[in-house]
Amino acid sequence: SLKYKAGKGNYIYAVGNECMFIKPTTFVNNSGIAIKQILDYYDSLDINDLIVIYDDIDINLGNIRFKTHGTAAGHNGIKSIIYHLNTDSFDRLKIGIATPMKMRPSEEYVLKPFSKKYEKTICEVVDSAVNGINFYLDHGIKQTMNNYNKKDNNNGK
């Protein structure tokens, strides 16, 4: 039910439940530009108020991982964020998208829709991600990682 509005930069945003949901309008490779613009524009926000949610081709579909920091691991959007924020220390939620399909080059794979046979798994992982984010907002990253970062269950394969 949230309505997105144009932001003061390369992003759109919506506000609800005391949270701001932001979506860069740049290509994914330039996501860091939008994140930097948001943090620069909103003086009351800092990097500790941020959780970046993104797809991860190295995690099986159906799995999610919360992290506090780390490399980009080849994800160009995360490379851009690390570059523009000058740090790799920000909370993140990685949503697995790996299936047995040919996934390289990844640029072609991530732009294709999932096969219908994965519909149920996709709905389940979206529900899990939403529950995880709600838990994160109430309990913080460390407790969320303990509760939600489970061993890969190969749902997508």
Side-chain angles (χ1 to χ4, degrees):
S1 66
L2 296 176
K3 302 279 188 231
Y4 279 89
K5 301 181 239 181
K8 303 289 185 189
N10 296 318
Y11 61 92
I12 56 175
Y13 73 98
V15 177
N17 297 333
E18 300 179 32
C19 293
M20 184 180 293
F21 301 90
I22 299 175
K23 181 177 180 181
T25 55
T26 61
F27 288 108
V28 72
N29 295 2
N30 293 320
S31 297
I33 294 170
I35 302 299
K36 178 84 169 104
Q37 289 171 337
I38 292 157
L39 293 175
D40 287 347
Y41 183 78
Y42 294 98
D43 294 333
S44 62
L45 295 179
D46 71 24
I47 201 163
N48 296 316
D49 298 316
L50 177 72
I51 183 167
V52 176
I53 303 167
Y54 63 100
D55 61 356
D56 192 313
I57 201 166
D58 295 321
I59 298 174
N60 286 333
L61 180 65
N63 293 286
I64 63 174
R65 298 279 183 282
F66 285 88
K67 287 187 69 174
T68 58
H69 65 281
T71 68
H75 193 291
N76 290 330
I78 299 303
K79 281 182 195 173
S80 175
I81 294 170
I82 290 170
Y83 173 80
H84 287 281
L85 299 184
N86 200 28
T87 184
D88 70 352
S89 293
F90 52 88
D91 293 348
R92 49 190 96 179
L93 169 56
K94 300 166 27 160
I95 300 176
I97 61 168
T99 68
M101 291 175 57
K102 180 180 178 220
M103 293 189 279
R104 300 288 189 245
S106 60
E107 298 81 22
E108 292 177 19
Y109 174 77
V110 299
L111 297 176
K112 290 181 182 176
F114 286 103
S115 166
K116 289 228 184 258
K117 70 181 177 181
Y118 297 116
E119 265 181 33
K120 182 177 181 221
T121 303
I122 291 167
C123 289
E124 289 169 354
V125 78
V126 168
D127 287 345
S128 179
V130 168
N131 291 335
I133 292 165
N134 285 327
F135 189 89
Y136 166 85
L137 293 172
D138 290 337
H139 302 283
I141 191 68
K142 288 197 181 356
Q143 205 171 341
T144 304
M145 289 188 312
N146 288 335
N147 283 17
Y148 283 86
N149 291 0
K150 307 292 186 227
K151 185 166 175 60
D152 204 334
N153 66 17
N154 293 321
N155 274 353
K157 295 195 174 180

